[in-house]
């Protein structure tokens, strides 16, 4: 429905002019747009018996007739009245009680100043107040190292790192996609070259929850062997923070809804530091689980997670790990890397680590988080101190003496200092 207000307001001097009223309706609301020649102040309120929405336009007058269309849906009729003190009152007769909301818009896209009034049925407000939360898949970004013009390290018989790690990455992606509530994103799907910074950027654009970069190590001494897992070092984080703060395109879109572009340097630095510390902690948690699982299928070069300033790990808001599957320069490990069964075993080990990490720390609003079963509370224990008696302990925890004895395999009343007693039924 379109309603026009004809006539010029030039005679009113500085008074605002209402050019027209546009009305549209969707499933949730009726939107009324008042087209103006300048911004103005207005008062908006509702009246009952019958239901009406009233807007007083301050500093506005009209002697023109408002043309109204036929009653339509929620909005039944539009009426007006000129009031003293340069005020125009517009009344919207509505079919039922509504919650009105209004806001002003500046000129844009061919339109001038506008006052927008949304009429939302009050029963609709109640229905929309508690929408059913939507869940999403966890996204794991899988980065096969090197590619294209960059073959990576080489091993016996012309074995190339870029080929081996792509095979492992593809196997891992299939395993991720088989997990309920998880989805893989391949940073490199074929034999293509992607810059180091570009890899992390692609993962962030995909809204990944974890970035896993897969490589094969090499060393001049062919005896070097074993798998390793890395996360970003603190020195790498510090240098990356400086780079992020220096680039407006980075400062504008830090994850988690935090924007850095409008913050002063000190506050932006603090916020970024907090984000990076949390990210490194999450990365370390995931890395430990992956390292432990890889250790079941291959010898470990280091028994603990390492930290380094690898560029692909430097997203300050995306947990990231760097997996060195094995030493391609070691003949025996190169033979394993070439074997499809060992590639599958490595992919499965990485998957078990990823799965364990997300089972322990699922991102909010994900299907994995919604399906996660709460852990049973840890049993309450009491450490015997000097002067404790079994009957006093039972009374303190409101449990029968017989249950306390049965839970701890005690036949009499003898207990010793330092002994730990399990308290049945307590949380």
């Amino acid at each position: 429905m379109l309603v026009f207000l004809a006539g010029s307001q030039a005679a009113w001097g500085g008074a605002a002019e209402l050019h027209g009223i546009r009305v549209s309706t969707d499933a949730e609301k009726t939107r009324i747009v008042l087209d103006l020649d300048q911004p103005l102040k207005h008062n908006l309120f509702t009246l009952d018996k019958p239901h009406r929405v009233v807007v007083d336009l301050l500093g506005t007058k009209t002697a023109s007739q408002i043309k109204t269309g036929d009653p339509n849906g929620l909005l039944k009729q539009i009426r007006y009245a000129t009031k003293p003190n340069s005020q125009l009152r517009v009344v919207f007769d509505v079919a039922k009680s509504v919650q009105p909301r209004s806001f002003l818009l500046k000129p844009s896209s061919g339109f001038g100043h506008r006052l927008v009034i949304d009429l939302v049925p009050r029963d609709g407000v109640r229905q929309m107040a508690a929408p059913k939360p939507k869940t999403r898949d966890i996204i794991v970004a899988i980065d096969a190292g090197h590619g294209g013009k960059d073959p990576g390290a080489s091993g016996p018989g012309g074995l190339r790192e870029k080929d081996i790690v792509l095979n492992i990455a593809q196997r891992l992606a299939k395993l991720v996609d088989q997990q309920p509530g998880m989805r893989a994103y391949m940073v490199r799907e074929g034999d293509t070259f992607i810059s180091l910074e570009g890899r992390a950027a692609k993962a962030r654009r995909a809204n990944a929850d974890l970035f896993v970069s897969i490589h094969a190590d090499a060393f001049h001494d062919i005896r070097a062997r074993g798998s390793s897992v890395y996360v970003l070092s603190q020195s790498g984080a510090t240098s990356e923070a400086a780079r992020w703060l220096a680039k407006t395109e980075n400062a504008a879109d830090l994850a988690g809804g935090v924007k850095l572009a409008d913050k002063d340097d000190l506050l932006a630095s603090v916020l970024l530091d907090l984000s990076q510390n949390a990210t490194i902690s999450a990365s370390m948690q995931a890395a430990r689980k992956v390292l432990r699982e890889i250790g079941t299928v291959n010898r470990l070069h280091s028994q603990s997670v390492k930290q380094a300033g690898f560029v692909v790990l430097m997203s300050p808001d995306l947990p990231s790990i760097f997996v060195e599957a094995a030493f391609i320069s070691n003949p025996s490990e190169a033979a394993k890397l070439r074997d499809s069964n060992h590639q599958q075993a490595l992919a499965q080990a990485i998957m078990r680590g990823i799965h364990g990490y997300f089972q322990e720390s699922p991102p909010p609003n994900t299907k994995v988080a919604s399906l996660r079963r709460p852990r049973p509370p840890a049993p309450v224990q009491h450490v015997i101190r000097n002067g404790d008696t079994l009957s006093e302990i039972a009374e303190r925890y409101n449990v029968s003496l017989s249950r306390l004895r049965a839970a701890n395999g005690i036949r009499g009343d003898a207990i010793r200092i330092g002994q730990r007693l399990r308290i049945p039924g307590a949380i």
Side-chain angles (χ1 to χ4, degrees):
M1 177 169 63
L2 184 62
V3 183
F4 288 103
L5 182 69
S8 171
Q9 301 294 343
W12 303 116
E17 182 175 346
L18 178 62
H19 295 295
I21 304 175
R22 293 176 283 127
V23 180
S24 62
T25 302
D26 60 28
E28 296 181 353
K29 65 182 181 302
T30 293
R31 170 159 289 184
I32 303 170
V33 180
L34 283 69
D35 291 309
L36 309 164
D37 68 337
Q38 58 183 282
L40 50 72
K41 294 182 179 180
H42 70 282
N43 296 320
L44 182 68
F45 57 95
T46 61
L47 296 171
D48 296 328
K49 298 179 182 182
H51 297 299
R52 288 153 288 166
V53 176
V54 181
V55 58
D56 286 335
L57 307 177
L58 308 183
T60 305
K61 292 185 179 180
T62 179
S64 304
Q65 295 295 317
I66 297 178
K67 298 179 181 180
T68 61
D70 295 330
N72 183 9
L74 180 66
L75 182 60
K76 297 168 61 178
Q77 181 177 277
I78 300 176
R79 299 178 286 117
Y80 82 97
T82 302
K83 302 188 70 179
N85 302 322
S86 300
Q87 181 171 301
L88 176 66
R89 170 167 289 184
V90 183
V91 179
F92 304 98
D93 294 321
V94 290
K96 55 183 175 180
S97 179
V98 298
Q99 175 67 57
R101 296 190 291 255
S102 65
F103 54 93
L104 289 166
L105 293 176
K106 295 179 180 179
S108 66
S109 304
F111 293 98
H113 293 279
R114 287 150 288 163
L115 171 62
V116 180
I117 303 172
D118 284 339
L119 307 180
V120 181
R122 289 188 182 275
D123 53 359
V125 171
R126 288 195 296 271
Q127 293 171 1
M128 293 184 292
K132 184 178 179 180
K134 294 182 179 179
T135 57
R136 63 174 180 85
D137 289 337
I138 287 174
I139 300 176
V140 180
I142 304 172
D143 171 45
H146 308 281
K149 65 182 181 181
D150 177 14
S154 58
L159 194 64
R160 299 185 301 185
E161 180 182 2
K162 69 173 183 178
D163 300 326
I164 295 300
V165 296
L166 181 60
N167 289 339
I168 297 173
Q170 290 170 336
R171 293 174 184 275
L172 177 58
K174 290 180 180 179
L175 294 172
V176 170
D177 287 336
Q178 291 171 6
Q179 295 294 317
M182 295 180 69
R183 179 161 50 90
Y185 170 76
M186 288 289 290
V187 175
R188 172 170 78 88
E189 297 193 51
D191 188 16
T192 56
F193 174 78
I194 303 173
S195 69
L196 296 177
E197 289 186 353
R199 294 169 187 266
K202 288 186 67 176
R204 294 186 75 255
R205 286 196 296 270
N207 296 316
D209 297 287
L210 179 66
F211 178 84
V212 182
S213 190
I214 302 175
H215 294 256
D217 217 337
F219 195 61
H220 61 82
D221 187 344
I222 63 173
R223 293 174 297 178
R225 58 183 297 183
S227 304
S228 304
V229 180
Y230 290 82
V231 300
L232 184 63
S233 66
Q234 194 58 51
S235 61
T238 300
S239 61
E240 183 64 5
R243 189 182 71 85
W244 266 66
L245 290 171
K247 288 191 174 184
T248 56
E249 65 269 26
N250 283 337
D253 65 352
L254 184 63
V258 178
K259 304 296 182 183
L260 300 182
D262 59 346
K263 308 293 190 298
D264 61 56
D265 289 347
L266 178 58
L267 178 56
S269 178
V270 170
L271 291 173
L272 188 54
D273 187 53
L274 289 172
S275 176
Q276 285 187 315
N277 287 340
T279 299
I280 291 176
S281 177
S283 302
M284 184 65 76
Q285 184 182 352
R288 287 184 180 128
K289 292 188 179 297
V290 170
L291 181 68
R292 182 167 58 247
E293 294 297 336
I294 290 180
T296 66
V297 299
N298 199 63
R299 178 176 177 174
L300 296 180
H301 185 66
S302 173
Q303 298 295 320
S304 59
V305 175
K306 297 182 177 181
Q307 293 186 261
F310 294 135
V311 174
V312 292
L313 299 178
M314 288 187 175
S315 290
D317 52 356
L318 173 60
S320 305
I321 66 174
F322 188 103
V323 178
E324 293 279 18
F327 275 82
I328 197 172
S329 54
N330 181 288
S332 63
E333 291 204 333
K336 287 184 177 182
L337 289 173
R338 193 189 296 271
D339 181 70
S340 59
N341 290 329
H342 189 68
Q343 293 174 7
Q344 184 68 18
L346 284 169
Q348 290 171 336
I350 297 171
M351 181 69 247
R352 290 194 300 271
I354 293 172
H355 182 269
Y357 166 66
F358 283 121
Q359 285 298 310
E360 191 173 283
S361 304
N365 302 322
T366 59
K367 295 174 184 176
V368 172
S370 67
L371 296 173
R372 183 189 182 201
R373 293 181 179 179
R375 290 183 177 181
V380 172
Q381 293 186 336
H382 177 86
V383 180
I384 303 298
R385 298 177 181 176
N386 187 27
D388 282 348
T389 66
L390 208 57
S391 59
E392 289 174 346
I393 294 171
E395 184 178 354
R396 182 185 306 176
Y397 291 99
N398 194 27
V399 62
S400 69
L401 189 57
S402 60
R403 287 189 64 199
L404 184 59
R405 287 194 182 105
N408 294 278
I410 298 174
R411 292 188 177 182
D413 292 325
I415 52 177
R416 65 182 184 277
I417 296 176
Q419 181 181 356
R420 294 178 179 273
L421 296 184
R422 180 178 179 274
I423 309 301
I427 46 177

